Amino acid sequence: MRNTFILSSLLALGLGMASAQTDTTTPATTPATTAAPATTAATQVVQFTDVPAGHWAKDAVDLIVQRGLIQGFPDGTFRGNESLTRYQAALVFYRLLQSGQLSNSSLSSTDLATITAGMQEVSTELAAISTRVTDLEALTTEQQARITALEGRIDALGTPTANAAGADTTALTARIDALEAAIRNIPAGPAGPAGATGPAGAAADTAALAARIAALEARATTTTTTGDTTTGTVTTTPVTPPPTTVVIGNTDTVVDAVRSTNLYAGVSVGAQNTQSNDPCYLLNSNGRAVNFCLSGGAMVGANNVIGPVGVRLSAEHVPGKNGFNADINATYSLNNGSNITPYVGAGLGLTSSRTRTSATTNASDIYANALAGVDFRVTDSITAFVEADGRYYLSNKGAGTGLVSTAGRGFGGTIKTGLKFFF
């Protein structure tokens, strides 16, 4: 459901942007400066290798890139067949808010409500991005303080004491080089919030830093040594301002997103407990009796149906008891953004198995189910899992419950492992 909100809001956003581009009712008195950014952006539209000319979605892709909402992946691809992560959706909304394009678009009230719902769905990710911008601004402030100290040092080069030794100029060159390296290593991040009273964005701060360093280089190269009336030339590496646009897919900028897919199907193998008075027998071991029965099963489910709460339907076959277990559970994933995701669940189930007195007669028993497990992400679409299910049987008619024959009610359970395939 969350993915549906996000995709719907982005679709409404794209339609609104397209409407704004083709709107012919814009007053002729609009200053030329308001159109300049769009013209500049239009000349810099990325040509994605997987969106060739004639592709059915090329115009739409060019439009959102022109608006500065998406920049593609570092390898020059758009990857239109991949699912959009929640962090990527949050970045799109963040750029939209700081650019002011939302207020200038021809969106209906319905589309605005849809976009607002999408933003609410990724509010946590928007907060994470805002925190990263705050950290970037703090780092920028630190760099500005270092530049101020460096300027004071350059101003002191005009005195005879400072110019008495050429070592100061060499040390200054080394510090400028170190400062350039530090600025290049500032991670790219989205621009700070725009507005008359809001703080300056990271893009403006970075541009100001680059301009000040260029001025320092010009002053350092014209420094005159008074000891021997010779002119020293400082060789510096040209400053390359860091990118001011976050590229979707850049793992240095965006926290590794959790899997955006929701629906899955899976297979499992397991072992169900049984009693010594009605054991199962191992294959290829001379028929040795054991207190567990092997099982095989399948499942389908969704991780997010109502917020973080999902649902799962699973079924198992227990050959040793001629039994079938089927249950439906509500699940809750404790998603922390890593490859390992614990989960819990609860629900109801039904066991159909042979009776203890007849191999040809079956009986049914109802149970309440509780489960706990761990998912381990192998790839973006495949997850391995281990799970334990505890069952409280409300009746004890069949051998598949694993209870003693004289028990009316009681606890049983199974342990299983397998794979889930997300789509």
Side-chain angles (χ1 to χ4, degrees):
M1 182 176 294
R2 285 192 168 190
N3 283 347
T4 302
F5 272 126
I6 294 172
L7 292 175
S8 299
S9 61
L10 291 179
L11 178 59
L13 174 61
L15 293 174
M17 294 295 99
S19 175
Q21 186 183 46
T22 56
D23 189 358
T24 58
T25 62
T26 302
T29 59
T30 301
T33 57
T34 62
T39 303
T40 302
T43 62
Q44 298 177 351
V45 172
V46 179
Q47 299 300 322
F48 298 116
T49 57
D50 55 351
V51 187
H55 190 280
W56 63 271
K58 181 172 177 54
D59 290 343
V61 172
D62 287 347
L63 176 61
I64 60 177
V65 173
Q66 176 184 351
R67 295 290 179 179
L69 301 181
I70 289 180
Q71 294 298 319
F73 289 82
D75 61 357
T77 61
F78 183 73
R79 303 184 191 177
N81 293 326
E82 292 188 3
S83 300
L84 188 69
T85 69
R86 294 169 59 83
Y87 276 99
Q88 291 170 343
L91 282 172
V92 174
F93 287 131
Y94 194 97
R95 294 194 191 114
L96 177 68
L97 290 173
Q98 59 88 26
S99 67
Q101 296 184 49
L102 186 59
S103 61
N104 298 327
S105 61
S106 301
L107 291 171
S108 66
S109 59
T110 301
D111 288 342
L112 283 172
T114 303
I115 293 172
T116 301
M119 290 182 180
Q120 292 173 347
E121 289 295 339
V122 295
S123 59
T124 301
E125 290 76 8
L126 279 171
I129 292 173
S130 178
T131 300
R132 190 169 182 84
V133 171
T134 300
D135 294 341
L136 180 60
E137 290 174 344
L139 182 58
T140 300
T141 300
E142 179 183 349
Q143 297 299 330
Q144 287 177 326
R146 294 180 64 186
I147 289 178
T148 300
L150 184 59
E151 288 175 327
R153 178 97 180 206
I154 291 178
D155 290 337
L157 289 177
T159 65
T161 301
N163 288 327
D168 286 344
T169 301
T170 302
L172 177 61
T173 302
R175 292 187 64 186
I176 291 177
D177 291 342
L179 182 59
E180 291 172 345
I183 291 179
R184 291 194 191 97
N185 290 329
I186 295 177
T197 59
D205 290 340
T206 304
L209 289 175
R212 293 178 68 180
I213 291 176
L216 292 177
E217 291 175 338
R219 294 170 63 180
T221 54
T222 58
T223 300
T224 301
T225 303
T226 59
D228 56 0
T229 67
T230 60
T231 299
T233 301
V234 178
T235 302
T236 58
T237 304
V239 176
T240 303
T244 59
T245 301
V246 175
V247 178
I248 288 181
N250 187 340
T251 56
D252 292 334
T253 305
V254 181
V255 177
D256 185 21
V258 298
R259 182 184 294 104
S260 61
T261 51
N262 185 31
L263 301 177
Y264 63 88
V267 293
S268 66
V269 294
Q272 178 179 320
N273 73 302
T274 187
Q275 297 298 321
S276 58
N277 63 345
D278 189 16
C280 283
Y281 298 88
L282 291 180
L283 299 176
N284 301 324
S285 63
N286 298 323
R288 181 163 62 91
V290 292
N291 292 338
F292 61 88
C293 297
L294 298 179
S295 63
M299 64 183 67
V300 293
N303 281 336
N304 305 108
V305 176
I306 302 176
V309 178
V311 65
R312 189 187 78 183
L313 177 66
S314 59
E316 294 176 319
H317 176 48
V318 186
K321 301 294 185 181
N322 192 27
F324 290 89
N325 301 319
D327 52 55
I328 184 169
N329 297 275
T331 61
Y332 182 85
S333 296
L334 308 177
N335 204 323
N336 56 11
S338 68
N339 287 340
I340 299 177
T341 303
Y343 63 89
V344 294
L348 293 174
L350 177 70
T351 294
S352 175
S353 61
R354 64 171 176 80
T355 62
R356 293 179 177 84
T357 58
S358 173
T360 60
T361 304
N362 279 13
S364 298
D365 298 283
I366 297 176
Y367 61 87
N369 191 52
L371 60 90
V374 176
D375 283 341
F376 178 78
R377 183 171 60 184
V378 180
T379 69
D380 286 342
S381 59
I382 300 176
T383 293
F385 72 93
V386 177
E387 178 183 306
D389 290 24
R391 300 167 180 169
Y392 181 77
Y393 281 94
L394 304 179
S395 61
N396 184 24
K397 302 174 184 177
T401 63
L403 306 178
V404 297
S405 59
T406 58
R409 297 184 179 185
F411 287 95
T414 183
I415 297 176
K416 64 182 73 173
T417 184
L419 296 175
K420 295 178 183 177
F421 303 92
F422 288 82
F423 54 91

